[in-house]
Amino acid sequence: MLTTESPRKWQTYFDRARSSVARESTLEVRGTLTRLAGLVLEAKGIQVPVGSQCVVTMKSRPSVLAEVVGFSGDRAFLMPAGDVYGLSSGAGVAAAPAYVPVPRLGDESPVEDMADSGMLRLPLGEGLLGRVVDSQGTPMDRLGPIADVSSLPLNRKPINAMDRDPVREPLDTGVRAINALLTVGRGQRIGLFAGSGVGKSVLLGMMARYTQADVIVVGLIGERGREVKEFIEDILGAEGRARSVVVAAPADAPPLLRMQGAAYATAIAESFRDKGKHVLLLMDSLTRYAMAQREIALAIGEPPATKGYPPSCFAKLPQLVERSGNGLHGVGSITAFYTVLTEGDDQQDPIADAARAILDGHIVLSRTLAESGHYPAIDVEQSASRVMHNVVSREHFELARRFRAIYSKYEKGRDLVQIGAYAQGSDPAMDEAIALHGSMGQFLQQDMYEAAAMETTVSGMASATSRDHV
C-alpha cells in the first residue's frame, strides 16, 4: 500500500542511485615505485591528493596499502601501512578503489559528496561496542566480523567553537584525589603526565571502571603489545568491556597506523557523541602519537625543530585534541584523558609542554610518591584542573583550597621535620600541617579496586582537614 511518504522515499532512492552512477568516470592511472628510503616510498606517474589511499602491487608478494603524505614535483611520498619487505623498484602504484555506497530504499541520509572517495573510511557504529579492533577497523578479538557498522570517512570537519556548550557539569571519575582536588567536568580534556612505571595505566583503568559514562573508547597507541590483553581482561573486565571499544596500535605497528589509531579512536568517540551519548575517551599515549608523526615528517624531509620534533608535530596535537569535548549545543560529550610520557620525568619535555598548553588541565604522577607506596601517585601540588571552579560548589572549592594550602605547607617544611630541626610551636600553620599530614595522606590514597563516589568527597575532605586531628 502506497502512502504519502512513498514518492519521497523513491525520489531519495533514485537520487542516491543517480549520484552513484553519474560520477565522473576516468581510466585507472598507475604509477611506478621508484625509491624506498627508510620509512617512505616514492612513486612517479600518479597524481593523487594528500591523504588518499594507494595500493602498491607486485606479482611476487601481497599488495601493500599506503597513504599519500606529501609530494615534490611529480613525485608522491607514501607511508606504508604494512610490511614493505620484498618490494622493489618498478612495483605498480595505483589509487585504492573508490568507496561507492549502495543506495537503499528508505535511507534518509543526504546524498554523499564523492569528492573524498579516495580518502580512508573505517567502520563506525554500535556494532563496535565490546570489540577490540586495530587501526584499520579489523577485529583483533577473534569474535568474528563486526556487524551494525557503516564505513565512514575518518577525517571530520571541526565543530564551530561557538556551537559548543561550556563545561558546567561535574563528572565522577571514581578516584578520590581527582574528585576532591582536580574535579573533572563533563566534556573536559585533561592530560596524565608521568614517566614510565609510575601507575598511569592503572589510573586509566580505575577511571575506565568507575567513571559515569555511556560509552568508553580506549586508544592504546604505541604502547607495549602485552598491555592490550592485560588492560582488557584485568582492568576493564567483563562489565567494562561491554560498554567499551578498544583500538590497539602497539609499538611495533608502522608510524602511519599509530597515528591512524589515535584518529580512529577519536572518530569512534565522535560518532557516539553525535548520537547524544556521554563518552569517556582514554588515549595512551599522546606522546607516542607525536613520535609517530615525527618519524613520518623526518622521513619525508621536514627539518627538525625542538629536540628533533618537526613543526608539524606541534600542529597535529591540537588538531587531534580539539575534536573531543562537548557536542553541538550540548548534545553528547567526549571527556578525554590523554597520557603524556615525560621522558626522564622532565615536565619541560617539548611534547609535555605543548600538551599542557592545549589541554584543560593536567594530572602529574610523581615517581617519588610511587616509590614510597603512595597510590595513585598524584602530585596535587603540580596538578590542576582548569574548569574545577565552574563545576563544583563554593564549599567544595574552599575546602580544596584549604587542603592544598596545608599539604603544600608540610611539603615545604618536610626536610626540617625529618631531620628534627623543626621546633614545635614556632609556626602554628606548620604545627597544623604536621598534625593533619597523616589523615590527608590517607585520604589521597586509594586501592585500584576501590571506587570513591563524588557524594562522599566533600565530607571526606572536610574530615581529613578537620581541626579535631590537631
Side-chain angles (χ1 to χ4, degrees):
M1 177 179 178
L2 294 176
T3 65
T4 56
E5 293 294 320
S6 297
R8 185 169 63 84
K9 290 183 179 180
W10 279 105
Q11 184 62 46
T12 302
Y13 172 77
F14 286 128
D15 287 344
R16 296 176 65 85
R18 193 177 296 113
S19 174
S20 298
V21 300
R23 295 165 50 235
E24 181 181 0
S25 179
T26 59
L27 294 175
E28 182 186 44
V29 178
R30 295 179 65 86
T32 304
L33 185 66
T34 59
R35 186 168 182 258
L36 193 161
L39 301 172
V40 68
L41 309 176
E42 290 187 20
K44 283 189 176 182
I46 184 169
Q47 294 182 354
V48 286
V50 172
S52 298
Q53 303 295 298
C54 292
V55 179
V56 184
T57 56
M58 285 188 66
K59 291 183 179 180
S60 59
R61 58 149 296 147
S63 59
V64 177
L65 187 67
E67 182 176 311
V68 180
V69 294
F71 59 86
S72 176
D74 61 346
R75 295 178 302 157
F77 300 140
L78 301 96
M79 190 62 58
D83 188 9
V84 297
Y85 182 80
L87 287 180
S88 65
S89 179
V93 181
Y99 171 81
V100 180
V102 178
R104 302 180 187 278
L105 184 62
D107 187 352
E108 297 295 330
S109 59
V111 177
E112 283 195 73
D113 179 11
M114 301 305 295
D116 66 343
S117 59
M119 301 301 176
L120 182 65
R121 289 171 174 265
L122 293 175
L124 299 173
E126 298 283 343
L128 289 170
L129 287 174
R131 303 303 301 269
V132 183
V133 296
D134 64 11
S135 300
Q136 297 175 308
T138 305
M140 300 176 64
D141 49 16
R142 305 188 186 279
L143 297 179
I146 300 175
D148 194 19
V149 291
S150 302
S151 293
L152 297 173
L154 189 61
N155 294 321
R156 299 161 59 95
K157 293 181 179 178
I159 297 177
N160 188 325
M162 294 301 295
D163 292 335
R164 291 182 187 265
D165 276 4
V167 179
R168 291 288 185 269
E169 183 182 350
L171 179 68
D172 187 353
T173 63
V175 181
R176 188 182 300 110
I178 296 177
N179 286 346
L181 302 170
L182 306 163
T183 312
V184 175
R186 196 178 291 280
Q188 183 178 357
R189 290 79 56 92
I190 196 162
L192 266 62
F193 293 73
S196 57
V198 295
K200 59 182 182 299
S201 295
V202 174
L203 183 57
L204 279 182
M206 292 174 66
M207 289 186 287
R209 283 196 302 272
Y210 307 133
T211 299
Q212 296 178 350
D214 300 322
V215 176
I216 300 169
V217 180
V218 182
L220 300 176
I221 311 301
E223 297 297 324
R224 294 176 290 274
R226 170 186 61 82
E227 291 184 338
V228 177
K229 193 169 184 179
E230 288 183 1
F231 189 92
I232 294 167
E233 295 184 353
D234 300 341
I235 296 180
L236 278 181
E239 183 179 351
R241 184 174 177 179
R243 59 174 180 147
S244 302
V245 183
V246 178
V247 179
D252 60 346
L256 178 67
L257 293 187
R258 280 178 266 145
M259 288 195 65
Q260 190 173 298
Y264 186 30
T266 306
I268 293 172
E270 288 174 317
S271 69
F272 284 110
R273 177 186 63 187
D274 294 345
K275 296 176 182 177
K277 296 184 181 294
H278 295 299
V279 183
L280 176 66
L281 173 62
L282 305 174
M283 191 167 296
D284 187 11
S285 69
L286 197 63
T287 305
R288 304 300 187 193
Y289 172 82
M291 288 179 173
Q293 171 61 19
R294 177 174 65 179
E295 292 177 40
I296 295 174
L298 293 178
I300 63 175
E302 187 177 347
T306 308
K307 282 194 175 181
Y309 287 97
S312 62
C313 291
F314 303 101
K316 287 283 187 181
L317 289 177
Q319 291 176 8
L320 178 71
V321 169
E322 283 297 322
R323 291 171 61 180
S324 56
N326 286 327
L328 287 170
H329 309 295
V331 179
S333 67
I334 300 175
T335 306
F337 287 86
Y338 300 93
T339 66
V340 181
L341 182 63
T342 52
E343 298 182 5
D345 294 327
D346 180 12
Q347 295 300 321
Q348 305 308 316
D349 176 84
I351 297 301
D353 203 37
R356 192 180 295 108
I358 61 177
L359 293 170
D360 302 324
H362 50 277
I363 298 173
V364 178
L365 301 186
S366 166
R367 187 173 301 277
T368 302
L369 289 175
E371 289 172 349
S372 66
H374 184 290
Y375 288 101
I378 298 174
D379 188 334
V380 296
E381 288 187 289
Q382 296 190 53
S383 306
S385 172
R386 296 181 180 175
V387 304
M388 180 176 175
H389 62 283
N390 291 328
V391 298
V392 299
S393 64
R394 185 175 182 82
E395 177 194 8
H396 184 161
F397 191 79
E398 289 300 321
L399 272 173
R401 186 194 60 77
R402 169 174 160 77
F403 192 105
R404 283 176 173 272
I406 297 173
Y407 188 89
S408 179
K409 184 69 176 179
Y410 179 84
E411 291 300 317
K412 289 178 181 177
R414 173 190 288 272
D415 292 341
L416 292 176
V417 174
Q418 290 182 339
I419 65 175
Y422 175 74
Q424 189 168 358
S426 58
D427 184 353
M430 188 63 188
D431 292 341
E432 181 184 39
I434 294 172
L436 296 175
H437 177 68
S439 61
M440 292 170 67
Q442 187 176 1
F443 174 80
L444 292 175
Q445 295 185 63
Q446 182 177 342
D447 186 81
M448 64 179 293
Y449 297 107
E450 171 195 356
M454 179 73 79
E455 292 77 12
T456 63
T457 295
V458 177
S459 59
M461 189 161 47
S463 176
T465 57
S466 173
R467 299 185 187 277
D468 295 338
H469 296 290
V470 179

